[in-house]
């Protein structure tokens, strides 16, 4: 799915994937980083179903039974 221009403008932009993942790791809910095709920066999304998750999220889900049932695959 492509990011629409209006969505891109409203989202926070991160220069690197590492910077985006650092913010995602501190969030109380699952987030993953992706590179935007419009601005070429990184954004965060809560859409994780069927996507490869960051290592910290896989570990978080494995350590918490309530999160591991949340849908989506942990890794491909």
């Amino acid at each position: 799915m492509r990011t629409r221009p209006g969505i891109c403008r409203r989202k926070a932009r991160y220069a690197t994937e590492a910077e985006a993942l650092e913010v995602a790791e501190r969030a109380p809910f699952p987030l993953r980083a992706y590179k935007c095709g419009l601005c070429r920066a990184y954004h965060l999304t809560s859409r994780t179903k069927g996507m490869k998750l960051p290592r910290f999220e896989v570990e978080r889900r494995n350590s918490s039974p309530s999160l591991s049932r949340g849908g989506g695959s942990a890794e491909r």
Side-chain angles (χ1 to χ4, degrees), residues 23-58:
V23 173
E25 190 170 6
R26 292 191 308 257
F29 43 84
L31 292 173
R32 70 174 184 84
Y34 70 95
K35 189 165 188 173
C36 178
L38 295 173
C39 69
R40 303 286 187 230
Y42 287 87
H43 297 301
L44 295 174
T45 183
S46 61
R47 292 181 181 230
T48 58
K49 187 173 182 178
M51 303 291 184
K52 183 175 179 183
L53 297 173
R55 176 169 282 144
F56 66 83
E57 185 60 35
V58 172

Side-chain angles (χ1 to χ4, degrees), residues 30 48 53 56-65 67-68 70-72:
T48 58
L53 297 173
F56 66 83
E57 185 60 35
V58 172
E59 291 168 358
R60 185 187 308 180
R61 288 181 181 208
N62 289 337
S63 67
S64 175
L67 286 177
S68 64

